Amino acid sequence: MGNFDTYATLAIIVLAGLIHASFQASVSTLTLMSGHALGRKSAHSRLLKLIGGFTFGVGSVTLLLLSTLSFFLLRLLPQGTPLLIWAMVSGAVVGVGIAVWLFYYREQRGTSLWLPRSFAAYLSGRSKATKQSAEAFGLGAVSVFSELLFIFAPLLVTALVLIRLPAELQLIGVLIYTLLSLLPLLIIGALIGGGHTLARIQRWRESNKRFLQFAAGGALLALGLFVYVERVIVTSVALSGVQ
């Protein structure tokens, strides 16, 4: 793999990881859990442990999903990814971006997401009942699966480019994606640890939810178009030149 291909692959991984980070199910669940902990007048150190456990749960499941998906794709596509697959994946990513624009947030005040009401009620109930770090870990893990419909797009693109990287770079790629996907949770944890109130963080989320929605959808469109140009059009032109 040439330097340009490697840089393009890393750019796709970084963009996909940031897109993953822009989705809000895990963030909403974390703020719910933290709000309930504050309502019980939990010690600041205990709250930070809950946030740490939750973040570790989200990161562990994200890493596991990406690694597992990459493993199966490597088994299914040992000779490389056909252009048709790349074209279909690019189209699917663009479709998810449009879906984010249309209905990611519910049409009401606050930061209520598209999640089915039964699932949202389950996350809310578990957030209220979570009092230990191990429970917070499990809650973080479940929150990832609750948004799999949307995060599967960046995960799939990342897995497809990861399996074409040299072995020594694949682990680095997985870690880069996972850490980037955790950025909002890490920032919230740092803010709360630094003394910022949860109410202030929640007000910022509510004030900027449409921007986050537009940014996530637009970034997905950009990712889909970039992948199509870089993986389909450029490859097709190169193959035509060879022939």
Side-chain angles (χ1 to χ4, degrees):
M1 178 178 286
N3 287 336
F4 175 78
D5 287 338
T6 301
Y7 293 145
T9 295
L10 291 176
I12 290 172
I13 293 172
V14 169
L15 179 56
L18 292 174
I19 291 170
H20 186 137
S22 69
F23 294 124
Q24 297 292 302
S26 292
V27 174
S28 293
T29 307
L30 175 66
T31 55
L32 274 174
M33 181 192 71
S34 301
H36 290 307
L38 290 171
R40 295 192 298 268
K41 301 187 184 302
S42 298
H44 191 65
S45 59
R46 178 175 291 276
L47 174 59
L48 292 180
K49 287 180 180 179
L50 289 176
I51 293 174
F54 183 93
T55 303
F56 187 54
V58 172
S60 297
V61 171
T62 300
L63 189 149
L64 180 62
L65 283 173
L66 182 55
S67 301
T68 302
L69 186 57
S70 299
F71 173 79
F72 281 111
L73 287 174
L74 189 59
R75 293 288 184 178
L76 290 172
L77 304 169
Q79 304 302 320
T81 306
L83 296 185
L84 178 60
I85 298 294
W86 278 120
M88 293 172 61
V89 169
S90 300
V93 172
V94 170
V96 173
I98 295 173
V100 169
W101 276 347
L102 292 177
F103 59 83
Y104 186 69
Y105 285 103
R106 292 183 179 272
E107 294 297 330
Q108 59 189 61
R109 293 189 62 186
T111 54
S112 180
L113 302 177
W114 62 275
L115 295 175
R117 294 298 85 195
S118 58
F119 212 141
Y122 172 79
L123 290 175
S124 178
R126 290 308 308 158
S127 299
K128 186 175 182 179
T130 296
K131 299 177 181 179
Q132 302 295 330
S133 297
E135 294 172 327
F137 178 94
L139 182 63
V142 173
S143 73
V144 177
F145 288 107
S146 73
E147 202 156 47
L148 194 57
L149 180 64
F150 285 108
I151 64 173
F152 187 74
L155 280 170
L156 178 59
V157 171
T158 302
L160 283 171
V161 298
L162 272 176
I163 61 177
R164 301 305 162 208
L165 280 175
E168 63 272 13
L169 293 180
Q170 290 179 2
L171 178 59
I172 295 175
V174 170
L175 293 177
I176 288 174
Y177 181 95
T178 303
L179 289 174
L180 287 174
S181 71
L182 292 175
L183 271 180
L185 304 180
L186 296 173
I187 291 172
I188 290 174
L191 289 173
I192 293 176
H196 291 267
T197 64
L198 188 62
R200 184 177 179 183
I201 295 170
Q202 186 63 14
R203 281 197 301 270
W204 184 92
R205 290 185 61 231
E206 185 171 350
S207 299
N208 292 276
K209 69 177 185 178
R210 294 305 175 191
F211 168 76
L212 294 173
Q213 181 179 12
F214 177 81
L220 279 164
L221 264 66
L223 177 62
L225 292 174
F226 179 77
V227 168
Y228 184 79
V229 170
E230 200 271 333
R231 298 287 160 161
V232 179
I233 295 180
V234 172
T235 303
S236 297
V237 171
L239 291 174
S240 299
V242 171
Q243 294 173 355

